[in-house]
Amino acid sequence: MIDAARQGVLDNPFGELPLAAIAAPFSPRLRALAEATLHWAAQPGNHLLMLNDAAYPPQLKEIADPPVLLHAQGDVSLLYCKAIGIVGSRKATVQGMANASRFARALSEAGITIVSGLALGIDAAAHQGGLCGDGSTVAVVGTGIDVIYPASNAPLAARIREAGCLLSEFVLGTPARKYYFPIRNRIISGLSCGVLVVEATEKSGSLITARLANEQGRDVFAIPGSIHSALAKGCHQLIRDGARLVDSEHDILDAFGMRRGRCESSMLEELTGAADVLLTALTYDPVPADELAQRLKLDPADTQASLLALELAGVVERLPGGAFQRLKR
């Protein structure tokens, strides 16, 4: 009898969990959750992916602790594409969010899927940029897939459901808890060929994602910043530890062995007449935005908007102090 019991434990795929516990009937709460999950999965656009399922993302199977069950909404084909995680501070600067959006859009237009965590700041900007290209975006949430956190990102989540993919390993109804987000970070890195950190403090959760990416054998990229900025210190630490310094999406495309050129051209085609005027007037020497507006007799607000469009297109660079210069592309 003892030997049989021991053999039962050895044959148990759940490890040391007693077989009697596995064979026990579901509690009413667990049964209700299972029924709710099956009902959810029966709705159009909803998917349950088991670890032993042929449809489970192969890249994610490679990590040490892949989720046993994934809830997905939207285009699950994105889970099998070449992807890059883009993460960073929730309290990002305007420049940091512009960088995240620009990199994400350019990489998505090159066919790379953007993976992030649907948080405020860098995550949201990365998803928005990813939605602009064929690569689209995957949002890995740290709650149940039916719980959007933060609530202010609900419109963005709705767009991702339509044109991208929402993903969660947590059961339906799981609320936001701070310790859930580091857990979900391994999925962001696990789905990706590499992770780009845009802005991060020295104790940022983004550094957890970068560490996990490194442990999973993924590339780690970081955008440098001012030595006076707390939001650059995490990126600088990553670079000191061996992350690749990047200042252009081309650095990532090169690392992935992909051809350049297509990303910027489509953005440039969309520029307004005012942006064309600014681009013509800009030189490779720094010029303050207000000086440009005055010289060209343009509205200062319109000038700033056009300069941002040029920056996102990757043809001008914003410098400390509000100056801009043309990039040598």
Side-chain angles (χ1 to χ4, degrees):
M1 178 71 73
I2 293 176
D3 289 340
R6 286 176 178 166
Q7 185 61 44
V9 171
L10 290 175
D11 290 343
N12 177 9
F14 295 91
E16 305 254 341
L17 189 65
L19 292 178
I22 298 172
F26 284 172
S27 68
R29 187 185 69 83
L30 194 56
R31 181 176 294 278
L33 175 61
E35 291 175 351
T37 301
L38 292 175
H39 176 75
W40 176 89
Q43 306 307 307
N46 294 351
H47 310 269
L48 290 177
L49 303 175
M50 294 289 293
L51 181 58
N52 61 352
D53 192 334
Y56 193 91
Q59 186 93 332
L60 200 54
K61 282 186 177 180
E62 298 174 0
I63 70 174
D65 51 351
V68 174
L69 178 68
L70 290 169
H71 304 71
Q73 282 184 314
D75 185 0
V76 293
S77 70
L78 296 173
L79 302 178
Y80 320 116
C81 297
K82 182 183 287 290
I84 183 165
I86 298 183
V87 296
S89 175
R90 288 174 169 82
K91 299 179 180 179
T93 65
V94 172
Q95 180 62 61
M97 292 177 66
N99 286 340
S101 179
R102 169 192 154 193
F103 272 76
R105 177 171 179 169
L107 294 170
S108 178
E109 290 190 335
I112 298 175
T113 299
I114 307 302
V115 183
S116 198
L118 199 64
L120 295 174
I122 297 301
D123 286 18
H127 288 308
Q128 289 163 354
L131 287 168
C132 294
D134 292 339
S136 193
T137 190
V138 173
V140 185
V141 299
T143 60
I145 201 164
D146 56 336
V147 178
I148 299 303
Y149 179 84
S152 58
N153 272 348
L156 175 59
R159 291 179 59 202
I160 294 173
R161 283 191 198 95
E162 291 297 320
C165 183
L166 280 177
L167 196 67
S168 175
E169 70 173 312
F170 297 101
V171 300
L172 298 178
T174 300
R177 296 286 187 267
K178 65 179 181 180
Y179 45 84
Y180 290 160
F181 296 100
I183 294 173
R184 68 92 196 268
N185 288 352
R186 80 191 193 288
I187 302 177
I188 294 176
S189 55
L191 285 171
S192 307
C193 298
V195 168
L196 169 64
V197 182
V198 178
E199 283 185 333
T201 62
E202 289 179 301
K203 296 183 178 181
S204 170
S206 302
L207 302 189
I208 296 175
T209 311
R211 175 179 59 78
L212 291 168
N214 189 54
E215 292 173 357
Q216 293 165 354
R218 279 45 167 168
D219 290 320
V220 178
F221 307 92
I223 298 178
S226 167
I227 60 172
H228 305 293
S229 171
L231 287 171
K233 292 189 179 298
C235 292
H236 292 169
Q237 184 60 54
L238 288 174
I239 292 168
R240 283 193 291 270
D241 291 342
R244 301 191 191 198
L245 184 156
V246 297
D247 59 13
S248 163
E249 64 277 1
H250 295 313
D251 297 325
I252 297 173
L253 292 174
D254 286 345
F256 287 173
M258 299 179 71
R259 295 177 62 184
R260 307 179 175 198
R262 188 166 76 85
C263 306
E264 289 173 2
S265 61
S266 61
M267 291 188 196
L268 288 172
E269 289 171 1
E270 299 174 9
L271 295 179
T272 64
D276 281 334
V277 170
L278 282 170
L279 185 59
T280 302
L282 276 169
T283 66
Y284 299 112
D285 295 320
V287 182
D290 54 357
E291 181 180 322
L292 271 173
Q294 186 176 9
R295 183 197 307 170
L296 299 173
K297 298 181 179 179
L298 297 172
D299 179 79
D302 291 342
T303 300
Q304 287 287 353
S306 296
L307 286 169
L308 176 60
L310 290 167
E311 185 181 3
L312 292 174
V315 293
V316 305
E317 180 180 15
R318 184 192 302 261
L319 302 173
F324 289 81
Q325 68 179 19
R326 188 164 182 163
L327 292 176
K328 296 179 180 180
R329 296 284 188 204

